[in-house]
Amino acid sequence: MLDDRKLAVLRAIVEDYVSTEEPVGSKALVDRHQLGVSPATVRNDMAALEEEGFIAQPHTSAGRIPTDKGYRLFVDRLTTLQPLSPPERRAISTFLEGAVDLDDVVRRSVRILAQLTRQVAIVQYPSLIRSTVRHVELVTLSPTRLLLVLITSSGRVEQRVIETQLPVGEGIVSDLRSRLNSATLGQRLPDAANRLGDIVDTFPIADRPVVSVVVTTLVEAVSDERSDERVAVGGTANLMRFGDDFDTSIRPVLEALEEHVVLLRLLGEATSPRALTVRIGHEVPYDELSTTSVIAAAYGMDESLATLGVVGPTRMDYPGTMAAVRAVARYVSRTLSTS
Amino acid sequence: MLDDRKLAVLRAIVEDYVSTEEPVGSKALVDRHQLGVSPATVRNDMAALEEEGFIAQPHTSAGRIPTDKGYRLFVDRLTTLQPLSPPERRAISTFLEGAVDLDDVVRRSVRILAQLTRQVAIVQYPSLIRSTVRHVELVTLSPTRLLLVLITSSGRVEQRVIETQLPVGEGIVSDLRSRLNSATLGQRLPDAANRLGDIVDTFPIADRPVVSVVVTTLVEAVSDERSDERVAVGGTANLMRFGDDFDTSIRPVLEALEEHVVLLRLLGEATSPRALTVRIGHEVPYDELSTTSVIAAAYGMDESLATLGVVGPTRMDYPGTMAAVRAVARYVSRTLSTS
DNA sequence: ACTGGCACTCTTCACGCCGGAGTGCCAGCG
DNA sequence: CGCTGGCACTCCGGCGTGAAGAGTGCCAGT
């Protein structure tokens, strides 16, 4: 049904359409590719491919363009990922190494990804449910104000200011500080939250109100680690290359990019590292974005797993983009694990 | 030269053009506004206004549109800022109060500002050169790894991991910690950096290498407080309302929005709080953005001063936008000062 | 100083036309 | 049986024409 030549024709159609952005006809095909057959033969193959739903024509008697199903076949069976060029790899590597902290890694990742793919890049902040407590610090700012700082193994710092009803003595503070640390140090965040429950009872009744509010705040900070619900976006200017159809293709994307919840759904659940997810057209979980494709990859080690990717028109350079996304995911993983 | 009626005509032209987005003619003007004169008279006034460069016509025999100079006169002399409606004020207030930390305040500010003005919103992170050291913490992570945490009065937390050549005793750490604090506590960041220079010499020779690297790191963290070079952007989707001229009006803006350096120049130097800066068309310091206007306001108290604002087409609702920017700046200032 | 009238300009849209690109089908050929 | 060349047909897109509409500038009159 789909012999080798038909597949070759499909590949040629996808490649030409991606580069020219215009429906491709039988004659143009044989001119640009060495198919070894005549346009008429290609036309027959095209008719078959259209019959199967892999390509379509915008109007009668225009060239063909790939359908979502066609892209899907292309990606699944006709694509071989080539590694990036050494200069590109080096660029990613050195650019990411310049990062000073976690935020900076994310920002730089977005930037390099957008630049490499010339698409809109999205990077989810590393999930921290699997990260551990590195340090808890409790500082007296004033007699009735405490500052609580939580530092996690992923390098993230959370800080809360706590107002207390009554002045707090320095003795309690240092006592509390050491107990908080010994209870949570090295624990994963959810475990740490559980461990904190019992601490309050170990203090004299008189101190419990203060201790209680501190512990509650810490538990909150530990569980409220919703950093994995944050995303960074970049390369919006690349939207311009989408085409000229303003309202139907660009507006919804721009709107989606503002809604981080939407972006998170677009990226999808982080699966195992190195896995590459490609969603094409209607496979994307938003109807408004049915003319776009999303290519995402999980990154990070088991300690901090998250997703990054790009979103672009269904008419995109899949092999190149996939290779770039995969490469960036790998380098980001490496950067995170060595910092 | 510019009598009251001519000013009224200019105001009417600006208002109509902003709302209809189309060149406005003499007849339409007298229909929509109670000018009390005939179209012919208005035409004479328009001719005068055009002579002076306040309005222009796209083609001979089309309606008039305001020039940058016209908008300038409009905002300088014909605009009275009305406070926002109570519901709007309440929305800003409650939305900002929900913020949990500094980052969150900035994010929320961008969002509310974009929503109110229906323009692209830009918020600069508070500058920290004027903020002071609230606390320095030094923690032993392992015998050869120290964690240095710097907490500033603006609520910002910087943390650095320091690898030492030799194991460090706890005695030195606590000694160093207290000296670092006493040297810098309450100091402004630049001053703190200066004060740190002498500390090294007060330690025994044997400890100096360790002390030195810690101090250097702290100095770096203190001076490297470039958070005021960071900005947040939101409301990009509002760009769609710019008009239909893709490449000449939207692309450059999208590109500028990616370049934070450009954005900082757009916002301009933070002047005194409450000051409202309006740059119209060519007054904007980027040629590519000469069809846009920027409205910016300083926010924050003297301790952390920065700028926020919006960028939109020169054809924008100046009074409304100015009022919104001013209001958000005020509420953000208030939020920051009470946290 | 304002107004009504008038001739003129210029854009914008609809209409119709034509060329080009591409298709589908058919008959012939190896 | 599969491939090829030829041919008639369809449809999009660009282009000139023409009419309509909106707006102006000017002038003479009140």
Side-chain angles (χ1 to χ4, degrees):
Chain A
M1 186 139 311
L2 281 183
D3 55 26
D4 283 354
R5 199 187 56 216
K6 289 198 182 63
L7 289 180
V9 169
L10 177 58
R11 163 190 274 126
I13 291 175
V14 171
E15 287 172 355
D16 275 21
Y17 182 60
V18 165
S19 65
T20 67
E21 312 202 358
E22 272 172 12
V24 22
S26 54
K27 184 155 182 303
L29 259 198
V30 297
D31 285 352
R32 295 177 39 116
H33 299 78
Q34 285 73 37
L35 293 173
V37 290
S38 78
T41 310
V42 171
R43 281 205 287 278
N44 289 333
D45 290 348
M46 285 168 123
L49 286 169
E50 183 166 10
E51 181 76 17
E52 305 270 354
F54 294 114
I55 57 180
Q57 32 189 353
H59 341 276
T60 332
S61 166
R64 304 304 215 292
I65 64 176
T67 61
D68 292 353
K69 192 179 169 192
Y71 284 122
R72 170 52 61 196
L73 181 63
F74 176 77
V75 169
D76 287 347
R77 296 191 40 199
L78 302 174
T79 296
T80 52
L81 287 198
Q82 294 144 330
L84 298 188
S85 71
E88 285 175 316
R89 303 171 143 269
R90 217 171 314 123
I92 304 177
S93 182
T94 58
F95 189 60
L96 288 182
E97 272 162 16
V100 301
D101 64 6
L102 185 66
D103 271 19
D104 206 22
V105 172
V106 172
R107 277 195 299 271
R108 283 167 183 254
S109 307
V110 165
R111 204 179 181 101
I112 192 83
L113 192 54
Q115 211 169 322
L116 283 173
T117 61
R118 316 220 342 138
Q119 307 284 3
V120 179
I122 311 172
V123 177
Q124 178 186 17
Y125 277 71
S127 166
L128 301 183
I129 22 170
R130 313 182 80 172
S131 66
T132 58
V133 176
R134 192 187 255 173
H135 185 71
V136 176
E137 185 57 43
L138 196 60
V139 182
T140 310
L141 295 179
S142 76
T144 62
R145 289 180 96 191
L146 297 175
L147 176 69
L148 180 69
V149 181
L150 165 70
I151 299 163
T152 67
S153 61
S154 58
R156 190 138 197 92
V157 181
E158 289 287 322
Q159 48 106 22
R160 303 291 152 96
V161 175
I162 302 168
E163 306 269 353
T164 59
Q165 303 290 339
L166 302 171
V168 187
E170 198 54 44
I172 305 179
V173 170
S174 64
D175 192 11
L176 183 51
R177 178 192 304 131
S178 66
R179 293 214 209 175
L180 290 178
N181 268 295
S182 61
T184 59
L185 201 67
Q187 300 288 320
R188 289 193 172 171
L189 299 191
D191 302 340
N194 293 333
R195 290 261 206 142
L196 285 169
D198 308 330
I199 286 197
V200 181
D201 298 335
T202 65
F203 279 81
I205 294 254
D207 298 334
R208 288 193 190 167
V210 173
V211 172
S212 169
V213 63
V214 172
V215 168
T216 311
T217 308
L218 181 54
V219 168
E220 203 180 284
V222 160
S223 2
D224 182 54
E225 270 290 326
R226 290 178 305 178
S227 79
D228 55 337
E229 293 180 6
R230 286 184 57 200
V231 289
V233 177
T236 335
N238 292 327
L239 275 181
M240 308 307 300
R241 308 185 310 117
F242 249 47
D244 32 15
D245 200 350
F246 231 70
D247 274 0
T248 67
S249 67
I250 298 193
R251 174 194 288 279
V253 181
L254 267 181
E255 275 166 4
L257 293 180
E258 298 266 324
E259 288 300 331
H260 289 189
V261 196
V262 174
L263 291 184
L264 288 169
R265 271 196 65 196
L266 282 189
L267 287 178
E269 288 301 313
T271 54
S272 62
R274 320 210 151 202
L276 206 51
T277 313
V278 180
R279 290 210 195 73
I280 299 169
H282 298 89
E283 301 167 11
V284 171
Y286 276 88
D287 287 349
E288 296 83 359
L289 301 183
S290 61
T291 62
T292 64
S293 289
V294 177
I295 297 182
Y299 73 90
M301 317 314 277
D302 28 58
E303 187 171 83
S304 59
L305 194 61
T307 313
L308 56 75
V310 304
V311 36
T314 49
R315 173 202 356 101
M316 69 160 70
D317 167 24
Y318 288 94
T321 311
M322 289 166 71
V325 170
R326 189 180 61 176
V328 171
R330 284 188 186 161
Y331 279 100
V332 174
S333 303
R334 218 181 59 183
T335 306
L336 286 182
S337 68
T338 61
S339 67
Chain B
M1 188 142 308
L2 282 183
D3 56 25
D4 284 353
R5 200 188 52 217
K6 289 199 183 60
L7 290 179
V9 168
L10 177 58
R11 163 190 272 126
I13 291 176
V14 171
E15 286 172 356
D16 276 20
Y17 182 60
V18 165
S19 65
T20 66
E21 313 201 357
E22 272 172 13
V24 21
S26 54
K27 185 158 182 300
L29 259 197
V30 297
D31 285 353
R32 295 176 40 115
H33 299 78
Q34 286 72 39
L35 293 173
V37 290
S38 77
T41 310
V42 172
R43 281 205 286 279
N44 289 332
D45 290 347
M46 286 168 124
L49 286 170
E50 184 166 10
E51 182 76 16
E52 305 271 354
F54 295 113
I55 56 180
Q57 32 191 354
H59 339 276
T60 333
S61 172
R64 303 307 213 292
I65 63 177
T67 61
D68 292 351
K69 192 178 169 193
Y71 285 123
R72 168 53 60 198
L73 182 62
F74 176 77
V75 300
D76 285 349
R77 297 189 40 197
L78 302 173
T79 295
T80 51
L81 288 198
Q82 294 144 331
L84 298 188
S85 71
E88 285 174 316
R89 302 171 143 271
R90 220 174 309 125
I92 304 176
S93 181
T94 59
F95 189 62
L96 287 181
E97 272 163 16
V100 301
D101 63 7
L102 185 66
D103 271 19
D104 207 21
V105 171
V106 172
R107 277 196 298 272
R108 283 168 183 253
S109 307
V110 166
R111 205 183 180 97
I112 193 80
L113 193 54
Q115 211 168 321
L116 282 173
T117 61
R118 316 222 340 138
Q119 308 283 4
V120 178
I122 311 172
V123 178
Q124 178 186 18
Y125 277 70
S127 166
L128 301 183
I129 23 169
R130 312 182 79 171
S131 66
T132 58
V133 175
R134 192 187 254 173
H135 186 71
V136 176
E137 186 57 42
L138 196 60
V139 183
T140 311
L141 294 178
S142 76
T144 62
R145 290 180 94 193
L146 297 175
L147 177 70
L148 179 69
V149 180
L150 164 70
I151 299 161
T152 67
S153 60
S154 58
R156 190 138 197 96
V157 181
E158 289 287 323
Q159 49 108 22
R160 303 290 152 97
V161 175
I162 302 168
E163 308 269 353
T164 59
Q165 304 289 340
L166 303 171
V168 187
E170 198 54 45
I172 305 178
V173 170
S174 63
D175 192 11
L176 184 50
R177 179 192 303 132
S178 67
R179 292 212 209 175
L180 290 178
N181 269 294
S182 62
T184 60
L185 201 67
Q187 301 287 320
R188 289 194 173 171
L189 299 191
D191 302 339
N194 293 333
R195 289 262 205 143
L196 285 169
D198 309 329
I199 285 199
V200 181
D201 298 335
T202 66
F203 279 81
I205 295 254
D207 298 334
R208 287 193 190 168
V210 173
V211 172
S212 170
V213 63
V214 171
V215 168
T216 310
T217 310
L218 181 56
V219 168
E220 202 180 286
V222 158
S223 0
D224 182 54
E225 271 288 327
R226 289 179 308 180
S227 79
D228 56 335
E229 293 181 6
R230 287 184 55 201
V231 288
V233 176
T236 335
N238 292 328
L239 275 181
M240 307 307 299
R241 309 184 310 115
F242 249 46
D244 33 13
D245 201 350
F246 232 68
D247 273 0
T248 66
S249 67
I250 298 193
R251 173 195 289 277
V253 181
L254 267 181
E255 274 165 4
L257 293 180
E258 298 265 325
E259 290 298 333
H260 290 189
V261 195
V262 174
L263 292 185
L264 289 169
R265 270 196 65 194
L266 282 188
L267 286 178
E269 289 302 313
T271 53
S272 62
R274 322 210 149 199
L276 206 51
T277 313
V278 180
R279 288 210 197 73
I280 299 169
H282 297 88
E283 301 167 13
V284 171
Y286 277 88
D287 288 347
E288 296 84 358
L289 300 183
S290 61
T291 62
T292 65
S293 288
V294 177
I295 298 183
Y299 73 89
M301 316 316 276
D302 30 55
E303 186 169 86
S304 59
L305 193 60
T307 314
L308 55 76
V310 303
V311 36
T314 48
R315 175 206 348 103
M316 69 159 70
D317 167 24
Y318 288 93
T321 311
M322 288 166 71
V325 169
R326 190 181 59 177
V328 171
R330 284 189 186 162
Y331 279 101
V332 173
S333 303
R334 219 181 57 183
T335 307
L336 285 182
S337 67
T338 63
S339 69

